[in-house]
Amino acid sequence: MSRTNNRRRFIKKLSASSMIFGGALFSSCGSLKKATNKEYKKPLVISTWNNHEANQMAWDILNSGGAILDAIEKGIHIPENNPNDTSVGYGGRPDRDGFVTLDACMMDHLGNAGSVTFMSGFKNPISVARKVMEETPHVILSGIGAEEFAINQGFKRENLLTSDSEKALEEWKVKSKYAPVINSERHDTIGMIAIDRQGNLSGGCSTSGLAYKMRGRVGDSPIIGAGLFVDNDIGAATATGLGELVLKTLGTFLVVEFMRSGLTPQEACKRAVLRIADKYGGKDNQVGFIAIAKNGDYGGYSLQKGFQYIVHNSDKGVLFNSASFYS
Ligand code: GLY
């Protein structure tokens, strides 16, 4: 469907319950949901999907006084190390040529950021991304450069392609049809954002990207402002789903900017999803955003139903079914 048709459909859908006014969207209840001065419970950790174990690990570290970056890094290691998690780290599905290539990034409360893209052979790209942030003058290292850097930093090279992934690739090759699945395995990228007791925000994001992607493809997850963005004065956001849609709208930067303009994290995530729906339709794709505001408020929103996010602001995590644009 053409973009013009997409836009017509989008406006038609909105006109039933909303009006577009001066470029801003006003919901049927009459006004945008503005953030208040209320302070919410801290610390707080949120992850995309039902990454319960990862979120619990991060919460335990953060709540017991550990550093926020350690909490996020150790939390993200859980899906990265799990061979049964087919969209992150070890066991991640390969590209169409059989290579498992990983993307990850981290960003802290000082605005420091580090990222690795198109990196093969290391189970924990989130840790290499953290080293890029802490040990280099750069933000992104890619491909062979990222791998050489990882070796120099003491990371061990390993085979990430499991026999299960090899088998799945052979099955995929029968039709060789590239068609990203909505809510693939009900879990793709892990994006994790957190706020500590002092109100400082940080985040991390890690993925093997889309199964059977073209060799060299990099998604949104390692790109600051797309898969993850943190502005310690305002809030933090992270994304999951079809990276191309998030890249083309700089989705998490947009979420944080919507919070800067006074929207709650929930409303800001919704507005970023509406931007995608407006520009690209996205009817056959999934994108989900989660966000935390500086006051500890949080929220999430997705294009399609089925997106979930897990929240810890006490010892027991709570799993949310995200509200969505398409029902
Ligand atoms: N959101 C993960 C990717 O598109 O690579």
Side-chain angles (χ1 to χ4, degrees):
M1 182 172 291
S2 72
R3 291 223 183 120
T4 313
N5 283 342
N6 271 336
R7 189 170 171 86
R8 268 195 215 115
R9 270 185 323 130
F10 172 80
I11 290 170
K12 198 168 157 207
K13 177 158 181 157
L14 279 177
S15 63
S17 59
S18 318
M19 60 182 180
I20 298 178
F21 184 75
L25 298 167
F26 290 78
S27 69
S28 54
C29 59
S31 63
L32 296 164
K33 285 189 198 110
K34 290 277 186 182
T36 65
N37 289 333
K38 185 176 165 187
E39 285 296 316
Y40 292 77
K41 210 169 159 202
K42 303 178 195 118
L44 170 76
V45 186
I46 314 185
S47 296
T48 51
W49 305 103
N50 187 6
N51 271 301
H52 183 271
E53 259 187 275
N55 221 57
Q56 184 74 49
M57 167 70 84
W59 163 261
D60 289 344
I61 293 171
L62 195 56
N63 191 43
S64 60
I68 192 165
L69 289 180
D70 293 340
I72 291 167
E73 182 182 1
K74 297 281 183 306
I76 289 179
H77 280 176
I78 289 182
E80 283 183 341
N81 291 338
N82 180 358
N84 298 319
D85 188 322
T86 57
S87 49
V88 180
Y90 175 51
R93 289 285 189 251
D95 64 23
R96 58 191 67 176
D97 297 311
F99 298 97
V100 180
T101 61
L102 306 179
D103 296 335
C105 74
M106 276 198 125
M107 191 165 186
D108 74 8
H109 70 289
L110 298 171
N112 297 311
S115 142
V116 289
T117 75
F118 187 48
M119 188 177 77
S120 295
F122 299 88
K123 259 187 188 168
N124 298 125
I126 195 70
S127 297
V128 186
R130 182 172 178 180
K131 289 286 185 193
V132 173
M133 177 171 82
E134 292 177 343
E135 306 293 339
T136 82
H138 305 307
V139 173
I140 303 177
L141 290 180
S142 190
I144 293 170
E147 291 163 32
E148 285 174 0
F149 172 72
I151 294 282
N152 289 338
Q153 290 293 320
F155 292 93
K156 197 169 124 237
R157 191 182 275 285
E158 289 170 273
N159 174 30
L160 304 183
L161 187 67
T162 59
S163 52
D164 186 52
S165 281
E166 274 184 282
K167 194 164 156 258
L169 176 63
E170 288 315 309
E171 282 164 12
W172 178 81
K173 279 181 179 166
V174 174
K175 287 192 180 152
S176 293
K177 190 168 184 289
Y178 179 67
V181 178
I182 290 174
N183 299 331
S184 168
E185 301 97 29
R186 296 186 66 73
H187 171 280
D188 72 350
T189 310
I190 179 165
M192 181 185 284
I193 46 179
I195 187 165
D196 65 17
R197 269 195 192 82
Q198 293 70 43
N200 287 319
L201 291 143
S202 290
C205 194
S206 182
T207 190
S208 53
L210 296 168
Y212 320 125
K213 60 194 175 185
M214 290 175 70
R215 182 139 174 80
R217 183 261 188 193
V218 171
D220 61 310
S221 304
I223 305 302
I224 300 300
L228 174 73
F229 195 67
V230 177
D231 181 330
N232 203 48
D233 294 330
I234 305 298
T238 189
T240 182
L242 188 74
E244 281 72 11
L245 291 177
V246 181
L247 281 165
K248 287 188 280 194
T249 50
L250 273 188
T252 57
F253 179 74
L254 196 55
V255 172
V256 171
E257 290 308 297
F258 280 135
M259 288 194 281
R260 192 189 306 279
S261 74
L263 299 188
T264 63
Q266 172 75 30
E267 196 70 15
C269 290
K270 181 174 175 181
R271 300 293 147 180
V273 166
L274 292 183
R275 177 71 59 85
I276 292 173
D278 179 16
K279 298 277 181 197
Y280 299 103
K283 195 164 178 355
D284 300 320
N285 308 118
Q286 177 63 300
V287 168
F289 293 111
I290 55 173
I292 306 177
K294 185 70 179 170
N295 65 357
D297 192 9
Y298 62 86
Y301 199 81
S302 57
L303 258 180
Q304 312 289 341
K305 65 180 182 196
F307 173 52
Q308 296 181 307
Y309 54 97
I310 178 94
V311 177
H312 278 78
N313 58 8
S314 72
D315 283 337
K316 201 165 155 33
V318 179
L319 185 66
F320 286 84
N321 289 315
S322 173
S324 61
F325 181 70
Y326 294 111
S327 47

